[in-house]
Amino acid sequence: MIYDNNNNNQYYIATSNWNDKEKSGPIKIFNFNGEKIKEIKDYINNENDRTFFLGTFFDIESSKNYIISGNKGYCKSYDFNNNKLYHKYYDEGDERAHLSFIIYEKDSILQLIESGKDGNIRIWDFHKGELLNKIKINDNPLTSICMLNKYFILIGCFDNSMKLLDLTNKKIVKQIHNFNDKVLTIKKITHPRYGLFIISHDGENIINIYNYKNNINLII
């Protein structure tokens, strides 16, 4: 969802899909009346590129909206206002899918942190498109990442685990293995009375809800 305060404070929905030829269609922008406003061609070298995730980000400093897509071989950002590719984030030799992302500012650098099917977490300078760090987690796909705070992120993995990554030391400091299948999604919610909870969804279509302090016992 996009809140565009540069255009009469309108809300929009960004969607994408792949077709039966295993290629993505364009990113489509709809208003809340269900009307298609525009399309953004999610292409590299004039070819469709299958989309594995789609998200949005508002940069407060520049007052700009961006659309971020994860594809085969690339993670890409688009300027929502001019419909143009802003950056492609490409690591030489990486031809596998990119599956999840978060945006985080550290040391005055806006960072794009994204997970890959090759088992790596990659950290990019969002505005320059430069690779800042690559952290090998394992040889299995990393399906989802969730930022707990400025020091730790949770990672959902195909090896039926959820892992806690210390961003300072670039090391895994805890693993949770009580899953019967791959962890597909991780989200963080804060309840006004009961505090922080982690919600995960796995390959057996089971939703797990963890009280942060009692069930996971992570240190932040």
Side-chain angles (χ1 to χ4, degrees), residues 171-219:
K171 292 182 179 180
I172 297 297
V173 295
K174 183 178 281 287
Q175 301 189 57
I176 301 171
H177 285 285
N178 59 335
F179 299 95
N180 295 323
D181 208 326
K182 49 190 171 291
V183 180
L184 300 176
T185 307
I186 305 173
K187 296 293 182 182
K188 177 181 71 173
I189 62 170
T190 302
H191 190 279
R193 179 177 178 183
Y194 299 108
L196 181 62
F197 287 81
I198 303 298
I199 299 177
S200 69
H201 171 246
D202 64 30
E204 289 191 335
N205 291 324
I206 296 174
I207 294 175
N208 299 281
I209 302 176
Y210 300 90
N211 178 279
Y212 186 79
K213 291 184 178 179
N214 296 334
N215 298 120
I216 298 183
N217 195 30
L218 304 178
I219 299 174

Side-chain angles (χ1 to χ4, degrees), residues 141-160:
L142 309 178
T143 56
S144 181
I145 49 179
C146 172
M147 195 125 206
L148 294 180
N149 63 10
K150 61 182 180 180
Y151 301 110
F152 296 100
I153 61 174
L154 274 172
I155 306 168
C157 304
F158 255 46
D159 65 357
N160 302 359

Side-chain angles (χ1 to χ4, degrees), residues 90-106:
Y90 176 63
D91 185 11
E92 188 69 34
D94 172 33
E95 301 297 338
R96 305 184 74 182
H98 299 262
L99 302 175
S100 183
F101 84 96
I102 49 180
I103 300 290
Y104 163 62
E105 186 171 346
K106 182 180 180 182

